[in-house]
Amino acid sequence: MNRVRNFKLFLWSLIGLGAAVATARFMFGLGATTNLSDAVPWGLWIGFDVMSGVALAAGGFVLTATVYIFRLEKFHGIVRAAVLTAFLGYVAVAVGLLFDLGLPWNIWHMIVFWNPHSPLFEVGWCVMLYLTVLLLEFLPVPAESFSSLARVRTLLVRLRLPLVIAGISLSTLHQSSLGSLFLIMPSHVHPLWYSPLLPVIFFLSAIALGLMMVTLEGLITSYLYRRPPETELLAKLGRAARWIFLIYLGVRFTDLVVRGQLEHLSEGVWQVKMFWVEIALSAVIPSILLFISKVRNTLTGLWIVAPTAVVGIVLNRINVGGLVHQQRGETLYLPAWTEIIISAAIVAGAALAFLYMVEKFHVWERHPVDPEAQPKAMPAFDIASFASLGSPQIRSRTVYSLAFIFAAALGFSLLSQNALSSRGMDPAPVGKARGWNEMWIDGNLDGFGTSFAHQKHFARGGGDSTSCAICHHANLPHDRFTGCYQCHRDMYSATDAFRHNWHASPAGAALRCFDCHRLGEVKSAATAKSCSQCHQDLKPSGVVIAVKNNQAASYTEAMHGLCLGCHKEQAAALNKADLARCGNCHRERKPLVDDPVLAKRYEVLESKGVIVPKVSEPRFPGFPVPTPPESQMSLQDRP
Amino acid sequence: MQAWIDFGEGPLFRFSFVLMLLGLGRIFVLTLVNVAEAYRRSPDKILNYREIRHKTIAWLIPTSRLWRKRPVYSGISFLFHLGLILGPLFLTAHVNLWKLSVGFAWFTLPQGLANLLTLAAIIGALALFLMRVFYSPARALSRRQDYAWPLLLAIPFLTGYLMVNNTLTAGAYQAMMLVHLYTAAFIMLLIPFTKIAHCVLVPLSQLVTAVSWKFPAGTGARVLETLGLSERPTWVDKPRLDIAPVKLPDLIKVQSQKKEAKAS
């Protein structure tokens, strides 16, 4: 079994899926591809890609400090790999951020338009500078392979110490200021996580995570390339890390005690369970296990500790980054699969770049055995066609690209039709208006609506059937009292009032194409019969409003269009300017809380912590609101 | 039925369409890369690019080369390709679907012309199939998929033509639509992995041939052996054409006679 090839196949498949989702994200935006909302603007992409990405790359500055500042030369063998991991990690952060920014092409703004009061400004600048520093720190490694770059390499090696110092200072600054970002939202972050010490906590956990990430990366690559694992070195890293885990744990709990927030631990909410899981994974289990020398010094032990700690601290970043924020309204944010795929694809891209660098350049003291460059390998043949796939290198190329395109096609097929066409508009189904003489029109049943003097308008229009036809422009077949909501079925988007597939289906109207369309012409709405040619009862007689096509406008649009036209005319004719203004109809009252359905809904909303505004006074003092007589408010007075 | 149609219009179409586009891109790039690698390895670096370009274009024009040798075949094949490519790409109904789903549309053919092109594709496919069956030199060169392709390609065109031009009952229409969608998706899935990939590889065809002449001597000598197929008879062993195989000594004799005739 070729471990490297299988692993790369897996990574290429992830990138393929990611490419499909990325296309949708940049074409149709965040609303179509994420579960983010105005209540939860920061989700997985911030919590994982950016916050955890930066922390995962902390191994770079920790190990450069160890080797080049403290001169612990025994770690020299892994420092190049650590710097490479850090560099690729920061590139992944930058790429991940581009996905989350609403206007990614404005990312350069922070370079020119300074806002020195913002922690994000500092983070942005530090990340940018540190990325440059990391590039310069790593550049000597690939430069070894090109004789033309010998001078550059010599210069960079001479500059190493200043670069390392710059790298450490920049890292310290922004690792902690990622924590400072959340100082601004004490009312958002759950009190078990919020602390004035967030910068310190972030910095400490970043060091621990950096060490664990270097360990994990050593373990994975030694498995992949079947090279002897550096267990001894990794054990030494673990020995240092255990103290940091302990300090971290101490700081977390001392902070809780000092701030007097321990009482939150007795609450029965899910955040408390999350807190315990996170503390166990990110500090308790790793520190205990690392104190046992048998665990620390064996491969199996390290395989248990390192992933646990990495998952734990990443969980901490995701929690602080958005998961345990309070006051998020009704909904709990869980990342959509598309968000997870993008994050995974970015990590996969970084991993592939890492493997490429490792195979191509002297990142490790000994070059790994590259299964793709074995000169004596037999050429491979395609199973189906017996076509030669050529040397192992050509074969890998063929197979990886195949995995990529299949995954990308799968990704496109999995994206829902909504994500591809509706541009993320949530459906808002419309309910029926209630009442007869006095109607209550509140399309999405949120309690805010308009009281409409139905009978009075009827009387003003003349009081006979022609008066009905002023507003009621279409009936459903075999119906004479079709309500607005039956065609205008969505509050904010147009709906299909015709149902073409139903008409053409054997289970529906079972019509043949050319019953409606004309033979020999392109089938479209324009070349089809009009509805009224079959449905004679569709239009009430004397109708004023002409139906242009089968797309019923949104409920709000239809209602405003219907009312405002007349109201504007009348406002001019009667010289009553208020008649056409918002406040004339929208009086922001809840006169229908005695409606059992609505009262129930209010109860549910209020129990979920949603603030239901209690407005009893007219919002617009200039317009006195007449209280409708009780008799007109009754719902059941329809004849 | 409607649910199957919806699946065919939605996820299945997206899967096969994206796979076709990316797969064709992939095979083009891979071919280019492999050609470049073969060229890098070959000792003989001289390639007549002008001739390659000239040949590539000349084979695409029906009035040259093939027209002189096999005018009927050439004409039918050209019309077939014309219908096959232009018909689906510029059919108003298809373009309208794109307009609805991605928001942009392009030039469309008038319905009458689209009908003619569709007919050309259907009749061309049948004619090409029959030619392959009854023309023995073509048969000698044909694999199983070569017979299947024209028939498979004709199905979506036939169903499309019937749906546009015939009065069908609602049930028959849905069945037609189902066949149309699923065969089209199947074809799109196969295109990048079969000989239909020539739709993008045409510009490279002469280049590949030119480079393969530069392979070092004996390159392919042990292919069958390596494949473990040395026992398998090849078409060289059992000539299917009714032409007596020319023996090498005879050929030498004929050539020497010619030389003598020239000299005298």
Side-chain angles (χ1 to χ4, degrees), chain B residues 157-218:
Chain B
F157 285 85
L158 194 64
T159 47
Y161 186 82
L162 290 178
M163 281 191 290
V164 169
N165 294 300
N166 274 55
T167 305
L168 299 166
T169 62
Y173 186 87
Q174 278 195 336
M176 285 283 172
M177 182 53 94
L178 199 71
V179 174
H180 184 75
L181 285 171
Y182 279 68
T183 45
F186 185 55
I187 289 169
M188 286 195 282
L189 282 180
L190 290 181
I191 281 176
F193 308 109
T194 52
K195 66 171 197 167
I196 310 297
H198 72 258
C199 58
V200 292
L201 292 181
V202 157
L204 300 181
S205 58
Q206 297 301 320
L207 179 68
V208 170
T209 317
V211 170
S212 38
W213 284 112
K214 312 278 176 184
F215 281 170

Side-chain angles (χ1 to χ4, degrees), chain B residues 75-154:
Chain B
I76 290 177
S77 169
F78 185 74
L79 285 178
F80 167 70
H81 279 86
L82 212 60
L84 200 66
I85 296 167
L86 297 184
L89 272 184
F90 298 106
L91 187 74
T92 318
H94 285 182
V95 176
N96 282 349
L97 286 176
W98 281 107
K99 176 89 181 161
L100 283 177
S101 67
V102 292
F104 55 86
W106 51 86
F107 160 78
T108 60
L109 295 170
Q111 193 61 35
L113 186 57
N115 275 339
L116 279 182
L117 283 173
T118 312
L119 281 180
I122 297 169
I123 295 168
L126 285 180
L128 289 180
F129 173 74
L130 293 178
M131 278 180 175
R132 210 176 260 288
V133 172
F134 292 111
Y135 184 56
S136 58
R139 257 177 86 173
L141 288 169
S142 297
R143 295 161 291 170
R144 256 170 278 173
Q145 59 157 309
D146 295 326
Y147 297 106
W149 267 114
L151 296 181
L152 181 60
L153 284 174

Side-chain angles (χ1 to χ4, degrees), chain A residues 267-282:
Chain A
E267 284 170 11
V269 290
W270 65 270
Q271 282 98 333
V272 175
K273 286 171 202 149
M274 181 60 105
F275 176 79
W276 283 120
V277 171
E278 184 208 301
I279 284 289
L281 291 178
S282 68

Side-chain angles (χ1 to χ4, degrees), chain A residues 51-64 66 75 78-79 81-83 85-86 90 130 171 175 201-218 234 237-238 240-242 244-245 282 290 306-307 309-314 317:
Chain A
M51 314 262 294
S52 309
V54 166
L56 286 168
F61 86 89
V62 176
L63 273 181
T64 47
T66 318
F75 292 110
I78 50 175
V79 73
V83 172
T85 316
Y90 273 85
Y130 188 45
S171 289
Q175 291 282 1
I201 291 171
F202 263 51
F203 182 63
L204 278 175
S205 54
I207 295 177
L209 181 59
L211 291 173
M212 286 298 104
M213 197 53 206
V214 171
T215 313
L216 186 63
E217 168 222 299
L234 300 181
L237 287 184
R242 60 187 173 165
I244 297 167
F245 279 121
S282 68
L290 285 174
V310 168
V311 169
I313 299 176
V314 166
R317 295 299 194 269

Side-chain angles (χ1 to χ4, degrees), chain A residues 510-551:
Chain A
L511 293 175
R512 291 169 296 184
C513 298
F514 300 110
D515 289 347
C516 301
H517 296 280
R518 279 196 293 275
L519 194 63
E521 282 181 50
V522 176
K523 287 177 232 154
S524 73
T527 60
K529 271 186 195 171
S530 69
C531 304
S532 58
Q533 275 177 278
C534 297
H535 301 288
Q536 269 114 17
D537 53 353
L538 209 61
K539 275 191 207 167
S541 60
V543 68
V544 180
I545 298 168
V547 179
K548 288 190 202 77
N549 54 31
N550 54 25
Q551 290 288 307

Side-chain angles (χ1 to χ4, degrees), chain A residues 27-28 378-379 381 386 391 393-394 397-399 401-402 404-406 408-410 412-417 420-421 423 501 504-506 510-515 519-524, chain B residues 2 6 9-12 14-16 18-19 22-23 26 30 33-34 37 41 92-93 96 100-103 111 162-171 173-174 193 223 226-227 229 232:
Chain A
M27 275 178 83
F28 303 118
M378 283 284 282
F381 290 89
F386 288 114
S391 66
Q393 204 183 359
I394 299 178
R397 208 186 281 152
T398 313
V399 176
S401 54
L402 194 66
F404 174 84
I405 61 163
F406 262 97
L410 187 69
F412 269 104
S413 72
L414 286 178
L415 288 169
S416 75
Q417 197 85 42
L420 290 177
S421 63
R423 282 134 179 96
N501 284 353
S505 154
L511 293 175
R512 291 169 296 184
C513 298
F514 300 110
D515 289 347
L519 194 63
E521 282 181 50
V522 176
K523 287 177 232 154
S524 73
Chain B
Q2 189 60 43
D6 287 344
E9 284 174 342
L12 181 67
R14 286 201 297 273
F15 182 80
S16 46
V18 172
L19 193 71
L22 291 179
R26 163 183 174 266
L30 277 182
V33 169
N34 290 346
E37 203 144 283
R41 282 187 192 169
T92 318
N96 282 349
L100 283 177
S101 67
V102 292
Q111 193 61 35
L162 290 178
M163 281 191 290
V164 169
N165 294 300
N166 274 55
T167 305
L168 299 166
T169 62
Y173 186 87
Q174 278 195 336
F193 308 109
V223 167
T226 324
L227 278 171
L229 297 175
R232 176 184 277 200

Side-chain angles (χ1 to χ4, degrees), chain A residues 469-501:
Chain A
I470 294 175
C471 297
H472 293 276
H473 53 275
N475 284 320
L476 288 178
H478 315 301
D479 192 8
R480 286 185 55 211
F481 298 104
T482 301
C484 315
Y485 75 103
Q486 280 174 290
C487 291
H488 305 279
R489 291 195 302 272
D490 193 281
M491 209 53 193
Y492 307 111
S493 39
T495 42
D496 172 31
F498 167 57
R499 295 194 295 161
H500 176 271
N501 284 353

